[in-house]
Amino acid sequence: MAILVGSETRVVVQGITGNQGSFHTAQMLAYGTRVVAGTSPSRVGGREHGVPIFATVREAVEKEGANASVVFVPARFATDAALEAIDAGVGVLVLVPEHMPVQDTMAVLAFARRRGVTVVGPNTFGVLSTEGRCKMGIPPNHIYRPGPVGLVARSGTLSYEIAASLSAAGLGQTTAVGIGGDPVAGLTFVDVLERFEADPETRAVVMVGEIGGTAEEVAAEFIHRMTKPVVAYLAGRAAPPGKRMGHAGAIIERGRGTLESKRRALTEAGARVAEMPWEVAGLVREALGARAG
Amino acid sequence: MAILVGSETRVVVQGITGNQGSFHTAQMLAYGTRVVAGTSPSRVGGREHGVPIFATVREAVEKEGANASVVFVPARFATDAALEAIDAGVGVLVLVPEHMPVQDTMAVLAFARRRGVTVVGPNTFGVLSTEGRCKMGIPPNHIYRPGPVGLVARSGTLSYEIAASLSAAGLGQTTAVGIGGDPVAGLTFVDVLERFEADPETRAVVMVGEIGGTAEEVAAEFIHRMTKPVVAYLAGRAAPPGKRMGHAGAIIERGRGTLESKRRALTEAGARVAEMPWEVAGLVREALGARAG
Amino acid sequence: MKLYEYLAKGILRQAGVPTAPGEVVDTPEQARAAAERIGPAAVKAQVLVGGRGKAGGIRFGNTPAEVEAAARAILGMDLKGYRVERLYVEGRLDIAQELYVSISTDRGARRPLVMASAKGGVEIEEVADEDIVRRHLDVEVGAWPYVGREVARSVGLEGAQAAAFADIVTRLYDVYRRYDAELVEINPLVVAPDGRLVAADARLNVDDAAAFRHPDLPVVEEGTELERRVRAIGLAYVELDGDIAVMANGAGMAMATLDAIQHYGGRPANFLDAGGGASVEPTAQALEVLVSMHPKVIFINIFGGITRCDDVARALLQVRASRGIPVPVVVRLVGTNEEEGVRLLREAGIEAFRDMGPAAEKAVALAGGRS
Amino acid sequence: MKLYEYLAKGILRQAGVPTAPGEVVDTPEQARAAAERIGPAAVKAQVLVGGRGKAGGIRFGNTPAEVEAAARAILGMDLKGYRVERLYVEGRLDIAQELYVSISTDRGARRPLVMASAKGGVEIEEVADEDIVRRHLDVEVGAWPYVGREVARSVGLEGAQAAAFADIVTRLYDVYRRYDAELVEINPLVVAPDGRLVAADARLNVDDAAAFRHPDLPVVEEGTELERRVRAIGLAYVELDGDIAVMANGAGMAMATLDAIQHYGGRPANFLDAGGGASVEPTAQALEVLVSMHPKVIFINIFGGITRCDDVARALLQVRASRGIPVPVVVRLVGTNEEEGVRLLREAGIEAFRDMGPAAEKAVALAGGRS
């Protein structure tokens, strides 16, 4: 088992003929993902890496049975692409682009809520499930192994670092989910934690947070009630207030979003909080051992 | 029993201090309606016909338990009033004003749909239920009698004419509903027919339609499946195409909305269609007799 | 409120929809001057009726002299009851294909509706249903480019043309929203031989109820002179071709009253809704309009709900006293304050009816019976 | 992107929010001239930091001479690291009460949030929670006047003032939407002795990601000169006060890298995200920036997912060859094409680390150990 995506996920790639879209389509296919269609304004009727190209997501849904979409178009076209996918009836929508206007994101999420669509991102590396071998997004294929750990992160590369260290320690993953680095995102930590809590294969959860907003504090409230152990790492201790640390969402503003607040909330909720990324695997092993004993 | 409103309906009047609002509040109270609050930008904290005046619908809901609103503000403020009532959590919203912009009405209806609010109107005389003595709107109090007939109409005065003739013939009404004379309205004929069909006290339905749109044709599809008899009268036989007959919605446009099309659809659906308004009562009596026999 | 083609085109052009160059003219000489700037041109009557082409309201000219002659032929024409007083001189388009596209309000669905067809150039009612693409819009989302792309695909467009079409749909929706349109239509949307799309004819109907939001929009007066005059005093009025002048309270009642007259073989002269709760003054104004029409009979049909019967009686007697009513008046009067109203009329020698049917029958008889 | 007060006020004024008359000036003489037109005035430093008043960045003058003197005192001041180069001279307001109102994006709720308080005039963070009214907006409906009326009631306003407040909320939301604002704030919203409401100070922060929709908006350059320069080449960069220059790929990795340096007692000189999948050229550009900072050590921390380790190695060697790197470089390099990258560096005499911790520790040691 896994969460969000799996063997039944039939993916349409929006923007399949672009540099990013084409490269990652090949990578997703290599991982085993059922990429059944792509969209592009050009080369309609042709193929990219063997995948048929359509003008619209609606056609991809109707003709190829696509039920999930991953968006690789440039940020300023991403809102249109997202609304198109929701309207066409996909169930899961992964928004890879960085720099989507926040108010556009809110409009997309409102429409998605009405249509019951799960939105991952924007500004996310995506989702990867080891069982069913489905990847929607951009994480490197080789670092993940099947196993009992659910991984949820705001950041891409930092989560790859941690996934690789888990894999190296023999702690494979059920699903890795990127909620994205933007201030407003579809999936929250809580949304993902709920799914991991309900997923029978997931036995422990690793949560990679960072400064900015209060998503980690809200997650802590849920962690209180979780039966599965949670190990957290939080990035941004060295960040000064008022400065955006790369991610649009990674900023301490008006006294909110400090690392200390997040660490305290998570610790009080019973999560094990690693000081450094390389400590995560050890804490997971300890948590799994403690739970088993 | 009755539909839409009844003894448990607690009404807030939006625009209670205006000429219309004040006059009809007195009428509604006289009928027996539980008018529990009014709103007005002026005289907040005061009373109108004994009804407390608030600045917002939210306060009327929180402090007086209002669960339905009837709007008497001028048309250009009606959109704001309607959205306010929906947002404040009323369950039934009656929009009396004529001349609300149609695109505003669509926005109001979309919001109402999301919040599960029933909208009657705009450009409606409202709703009156004899059992429970609840009137939201402007129909004259004296013409209705308790009885087995459900009445639904686009037009006010024409439906009063028919209600009075029913009452005179000893055929009282469960509920009279005005869906309004605008092209886009909250309740449709079908919405109301469904409720009458489900209402145990209603034994026959009178439907007063008119030229314009295809609401009567759509209603005919539902009437096919109804167990209760329907008597219809349709106004506008003498109307030339392309001319608006008073109601914004009463116009034959591009070949749609003709009386002939409606009459044919209703007749084929098994409804009794009266040629003239004064024939309605007789057809109802006949229908009830036929059904009883 | 309908806008003339040239106004609709101006709005579309401003919204970024491609149109041909064009100028509004009032005289043949102006048409010639316009043609000198524009080149070969279509000369189009600016009247608010469909089917101008078939009726001779559109002509073509290759030279300024031809355009002038075309203008001379059209100006002053009677097109379906409207006199042509203004022309639009527009650069001629070479046509590879004619498409149709519009956005209107779908009453039943309570949503905006995009309609498109690869068979444009004729009134959309004449296009077979299976040749029309229909796509409803979500009012809380609107028309983003993807909607246009989907519709473009459905009418068979591809590549750059599909993109141009999608762009036009988005811009049409902007116009639909910004102008509170009931209908914004491009028909035909011409595909030029070089593949470009150009709006060759345009309609824009604005919701009357939203006119207060568009004070800058030039008001186009629709209807006959009498209709305009009566509407100016705030009453719903439609001129018909019969001889029985009619007043009733409420739109539905007014329609039913016409139907009753027709039912008895009479011919109503008008539709007039005096309002569901009108007092003495507006009712008197409405009556004066009826008198001024010189009908054979005046028929007043009142069911007093909010309207008070005594007010109606007073209005009638006031008009009779002030200017006289030279034709028979049939009054049906029931409902609120009925007794007082009937008494007032009786004292003035008018016997009011209680029932609508006999009253209508009497009015028809007084007008000379079945026509 | 933050806008200066005077720009924010201009936008609010255009949107119909009442403001006092004001002028932007660059010199004391201009301030005097402005005061001659405006009368008694506040002279306000135009810098993008809060708490200007307390820091001496706002002064008052009753006469043109006093205003000129105030301007002279403020111009050139250092306010929390920003030099004052521009002033806003604004008509003085008589104050009966100070309110607070703003619309911002609530990340958690994923909705716009109206905040209001009867205790304005101080930073909202300093206002007790129970004195702040919070009202989320539905993005598909927006802020119609009723929302403002509800908020007005909640902060205790009545009558004409409640109506004026409601109107301001609606207009603020228009600005929030039209300018893709992250925050639009009026603080204080002054209640004048005659009861009128006037925006006395304003903030408008625009979403950087939406800047492409606002090409006319004057770009306000935030941050230090170096930060601006690095951002201009498209990299996320923040200047810090340490001596270890840092580059990593991905924002999260870059943050974690700083944390690791701090963990071992070192002080990072900067945050630099070279991108999650950057190729040779941008990586080389980023490295050149680090060299130009004259740090004690350069620390490169790469987890190659999409980023290729050999590309990073090539970029490093390229910069070393072209301009030299006069300080020690510590490299941690794992992931995609790791072997090739490590080999390239080894051939050039650089031994790459496999693990982040020991690499960070080494960098700190080379910089002189714990500070």
Side-chain angles (χ1 to χ4, degrees), chain A residues 6 12 33 35 81 138 147 160 182 190:
Chain A
V12 52
T33 313
V35 181
I138 63 173
Y160 309 159
D182 272 8
V190 172

Side-chain angles (χ1 to χ4, degrees), chain A residues 102 114 157 161 186 236 249 254, chain D residues 110 140 185 207 249 259 332:
Chain A
V102 170
R114 279 199 283 131
T157 47
E161 169 92 32
R254 304 186 151 206
Chain D
R110 292 171 264 183
E140 293 181 310
E185 178 185 83
D207 180 1
N249 58 330
D259 295 349
R332 182 269 182 139

Side-chain angles (χ1 to χ4, degrees), chain A residues 114, chain B residues 82-83 85-87 90-93 95 104-121 185-187, chain C residues 110 139-140, chain D residues 138 140-141:
Chain A
R114 279 199 283 131
Chain B
L83 296 170
I86 295 165
D87 209 351
V90 304
V92 174
L93 173 63
L95 295 173
D104 284 14
T105 301
M106 288 196 287
V108 166
L109 296 184
F111 190 34
R113 199 157 37 229
R114 279 199 282 131
R115 294 292 181 90
V117 177
T118 300
V119 178
V120 186
L187 281 184
Chain C
R110 292 171 266 184
V139 288
E140 295 182 308
Chain D
D138 184 310
E140 293 181 310
V141 173

Side-chain angles (χ1 to χ4, degrees), chain A residues 134-225:
Chain A
C134 181
K135 177 175 91 164
M136 293 180 67
I138 63 173
N141 293 346
H142 64 274
I143 58 176
Y144 301 94
R145 298 284 176 274
V149 181
L151 176 61
V152 55
R154 286 208 215 169
S155 157
T157 47
L158 179 57
S159 81
Y160 309 159
E161 169 92 32
I162 288 170
S165 73
L166 287 167
S167 294
L171 296 161
Q173 303 84 37
T174 50
T175 300
V177 184
I179 63 170
D182 272 8
V184 171
L187 280 183
T188 64
F189 278 124
V190 172
D191 295 327
V192 181
L193 291 172
E194 282 175 346
R195 287 170 165 86
F196 279 137
E197 174 75 2
D199 173 44
E201 299 301 314
T202 299
R203 296 203 290 127
V205 179
V206 169
M207 172 178 151
V208 183
E210 64 193 34
I211 54 159
T214 55
E216 289 81 0
E217 286 89 334
V218 175
E221 292 171 28
F222 180 75
I223 291 170
H224 261 297
R225 309 196 305 272

